[in-house]
Amino acid sequence: MERGKVIPTEEWVERGKKGDSQAFTELYHRYAKELYNSIFRIVQHTGEAEDLLQESFVIAFQQINQFEQRSSFGAWIKRIAINKAISSLRKKKIRFEELALDPSLQDDEAIDEAGFELKVEAVKKAINALPEGYRTV
């Protein structure tokens, strides 16, 4: 290999398919930061994002022979990482419990709709203030 020559990602992928550990290292260094940022935006937790990043690379490297270059390697591994992050959120899904209705409340009470629209806007504003991963859910 010539010194200073930039090897295209496709060549590193082909080397990875042959089991070249240097190829795996190179692919990791090329994509780790971008993938970490994408995962972190979803899960909003440093440690979890790091774990999911590693798991994503393990899956990608184990399945690299299935990569057919219909898209870029970056897009393929990003899809793996995003799916891992979303699956992680689903596993943490909040369970809601039904609460007993307070008997002191009556169904025929009048609802003050004057401030209702202001409350909706406040809720929308609060949702928009959430980190992106939580807004996604």
Side-chain angles (χ1 to χ4, degrees), residues 46-58:
T46 303
E48 185 175 2
E50 290 169 351
D51 289 345
L52 291 168
L53 175 68
Q54 297 307 316
E55 291 173 25
S56 298
F57 274 103
V58 167

Side-chain angles (χ1 to χ4, degrees), residues 68-84:
E68 298 175 352
Q69 297 191 5
R70 285 187 235 157
S71 63
S72 70
F73 180 79
W76 182 70
I77 195 168
K78 188 170 188 175
R79 180 186 223 174
I80 292 170
I82 297 296
N83 287 338
K84 290 289 296 173

Side-chain angles (χ1 to χ4, degrees), residues 4-108:
K5 178 182 174 190
V6 176
I7 298 175
T9 299
E10 295 79 17
E11 190 173 326
W12 286 119
V13 170
E14 288 306 313
R15 288 181 182 188
K17 287 181 178 183
K18 295 174 185 171
D20 182 348
S21 61
Q22 183 183 358
F24 293 136
T25 302
E26 179 63 28
L27 291 169
Y28 180 87
H29 288 297
R30 285 189 183 193
Y31 293 101
K33 185 175 181 180
E34 176 186 345
L35 293 178
Y36 172 82
N37 289 335
S38 297
I39 293 168
F40 183 80
R41 279 194 295 272
I42 295 170
V43 299
Q44 294 293 309
H45 186 274
T46 303
E48 185 175 2
E50 290 169 351
D51 289 345
L52 291 168
L53 175 68
Q54 297 307 316
E55 291 173 25
S56 298
F57 274 103
V58 167
I59 289 169
F61 293 158
Q62 287 174 341
Q63 298 178 1
I64 197 163
N65 287 319
Q66 296 174 14
F67 175 62
E68 298 175 352
Q69 297 191 5
R70 285 187 235 157
S71 63
S72 70
F73 180 79
W76 182 70
I77 195 168
K78 188 170 188 175
R79 180 186 223 174
I80 292 170
I82 297 296
N83 287 338
K84 290 289 296 173
I86 290 171
S87 292
S88 174
L89 286 180
R90 285 186 183 140
K91 288 178 186 174
K92 294 180 182 179
K93 190 175 184 179
I94 299 171
R95 299 195 194 309
F96 293 98
E97 292 184 27
E98 185 118 3
L99 298 176
L101 186 60
D102 185 348
S104 67
L105 297 175
Q106 295 183 12
D107 290 12
D108 58 353

